[in-house]
Amino acid sequence: MLGWLVNLAYLLAAVLFILGLKGLAHPRSAVRGNLLGALGMLLAVVVTLLDQRIIGYGTLIIGLVAGSGLGALLALTVKMTAMPQLVALFNGFGGGASVLVAGAALAETTSVEAGPPATFLVAVAASGIIGAVTFSGSLVAFAKLKEIVRGSLRFPGMQVLNAMLLLCAAGAGAWLVAEPANGWNFWSIVALASVLGLLLVLPIGGADMPVVIALLNSYSGLAAAATGFALQNSGLIIAGSLVGASGLILTGIMCRAMNRSLTNVLSGRVGGAGAGAASSGEEIYEGRVKASSAEEVALLFDVARRVVIVPGYGMAVAQAQHAVRDLCNLLEGRGIEVEFAIHPVAGRMPGHMNVLLAEANVPYDKLKELERANPSFPQTDVALVIGANDVVNPAAREEPQSPIAGMPILEVDKARTVVVVKRSLSPGFAGIPNALFAADHTLMLFGDGKQALLDLVAAVKEAA
Amino acid sequence: MEALVISLTVFVLAVFVGFEVITKVPPTLHTPLMSGSNAISGITLIGALVSAGTEHSTLSTALGLAAVIMATINVVGGFLVTHRMLAMFRRRD
């Protein structure tokens, strides 16, 4: 197929990608948007397969069939609660593929006498660095989310070591430009960057995962764009930069939602650092915490007119979303207004709670984001917090010394009564006690999220 | 050098388009946005197909094949899982 025709097809594919992402501006148009994106990809792949340079179709068919099978298997069998792990894994594959393509392109040119141009080599080096960081970093993120790897690795001088690794990788890049025929320089870039990716993600713990996944998402796009520079393929450059921009926007949103800078998140500094403040919270909780029962909470709902449910990662862990939906329907059946308030960093990835609630058939227009939810808490009779902690901690507002000071929170403490469903009084990710649990108008419903919700549903039914 | 400037032009403009389009995505769709944009970053597949298919050398073919598999997982899995998620989003009846 003619080169200009191929490029025209890539342009059309890029337009379809943009229209596809545009469709995601609203849940109504989102399904069609995603299909447009997939159509763009299909077009790009088919046109590429018609390229006359391609002779080995056997290899390609093996690769395409194997990849499609594995991809479909993962996509169709994953549980919605495991979505963060899957996205992390896919990010990694994207980065890995970019590294391999850059490596293959390099292998093709170095056997040519004339030697490749410096711009090509710089792009290959960039692709090697970004792609390898994405690959190894994403695998660590995957292992952490799947809880194969527990705890966080942190040691003094880690930042310095990371900076040195990056410098060395860049140095190996310069070596590649100077001596492209040497087969080892590209792979030393990849090795150094892979170690860097490991060390970047290892210190990062649970609640900071949304930031890391968003950032790796961005990197996977940038790696594709860098490969596009190497191949001078505008399809790759456009698609890659769209994804790069998308990931960066999400990273920014997540950081703002925690009132922390990206460097602060990446250095893994939170809460625990101020160990003095991170007491067990006994002096706060002592004698003030009121443990409640499902029956007592059901009585509260009896006289309530407006209930706001605040889900957190605990709801995902307990797989309680369906029980939450049942409770929501039950209360609505009694004429109670029920809404959900979603904190941007609730869960382990951006939008995690929304997907779980959508899976349980909760209509998306019941889900209110932070800015829209907060003004309504003073008019709320019961705020029901399920497995959330730091994102509802009033210390963010009231204690300037707190590690989460200034973080935007859901102001559930302004509701008439607060019910907190939680296993125990153990601190959240920030490692600090939560005065909300000891407040006069707070009732604690201790237990597993799902069981507590099932009990609550039964009690509400009985109270009728 | 001229080719680099053209590539750079495309890159910068596409980043701006990306920022404009994606700031309009509501928080409720942030997970599908990540998985969907992730599928799009599997565009590396078209580079991988050329690397694996031209059979330039054993090394480039092997690297290309591995890249084709990884990128296809990314593309097929990404679009499928995004579709699965988006199909669940409903308005109240």
Side-chain angles (χ1 to χ4, degrees), chain A residues 383-430:
Chain A
L384 179 63
V385 179
I386 304 167
N389 190 346
D390 294 333
V391 297
V392 294
N393 192 339
R397 204 177 50 213
E398 287 155 7
E399 292 169 29
Q401 301 306 318
S402 167
I404 58 165
M407 167 171 147
I409 56 157
L410 286 164
E411 299 177 326
V412 292
D413 55 325
K414 298 201 170 154
R416 205 150 300 146
T417 312
V418 184
V419 177
V420 180
V421 178
K422 211 174 169 308
R423 280 170 185 278
S424 67
L425 286 173
S426 63
F429 179 69

Side-chain angles (χ1 to χ4, degrees), chain A residues 268-301:
Chain A
R269 264 180 279 145
V270 76
S279 62
S280 63
E282 259 169 51
E283 67 278 16
I284 291 182
Y285 296 143
E286 189 82 68
R288 299 205 189 94
V289 174
K290 290 179 287 296
S292 182
S293 65
E295 288 71 27
E296 194 181 348
V297 177
L299 289 178
L300 277 177
F301 286 141

Side-chain angles (χ1 to χ4, degrees), chain A residues 442-455:
Chain A
T442 300
L443 297 175
M444 299 299 294
L445 195 53
F446 289 113
D448 168 74
K450 189 172 177 180
Q451 194 52 49
L453 261 293
L454 290 175
D455 292 347

Side-chain angles (χ1 to χ4, degrees), chain A residues 24-25 34 48 53 55-56 75-76 78 90-91 94 98 108 111 236 241 243 246 350-352 354 358 361 363-364 366, chain B residues 10 14 22 26 28-29 31 34 37-39 41 44 46 53-54 56 65 72 74 77 79 83-84 86 88 90-92:
Chain A
L24 286 178
N34 186 52
T48 308
R53 285 176 294 165
I55 42 172
L76 295 177
V78 66
F90 283 167
N91 276 339
S98 293
E108 282 170 30
S111 50
L236 256 76
S241 48
V243 180
S246 159
H352 194 183
N354 307 70
N361 268 325
Y364 61 78
K366 273 192 186 308
Chain B
V10 172
I22 284 145
T28 206
L29 291 180
T31 297
M34 295 197 81
S37 63
N38 197 241
S41 77
T44 326
I46 62 178
T54 45
H56 194 278
L65 175 63
T72 313
N74 205 349
F79 281 120
H83 186 80
R84 236 185 99 194
L86 289 174
M88 299 185 314
R90 280 196 195 88
R91 278 180 79 79
R92 88 183 78 189

Side-chain angles (χ1 to χ4, degrees), chain A residues 155-187:
Chain A
F155 51 84
M158 200 165 185
Q159 303 297 99
V160 182
L161 180 64
N162 287 348
M164 276 168 58
L165 278 168
L166 184 62
L167 271 177
C168 289
W175 180 27
L176 176 72
V177 175
E179 219 184 303
N182 181 318
W184 290 105
N185 35 26
F186 178 72
W187 298 108

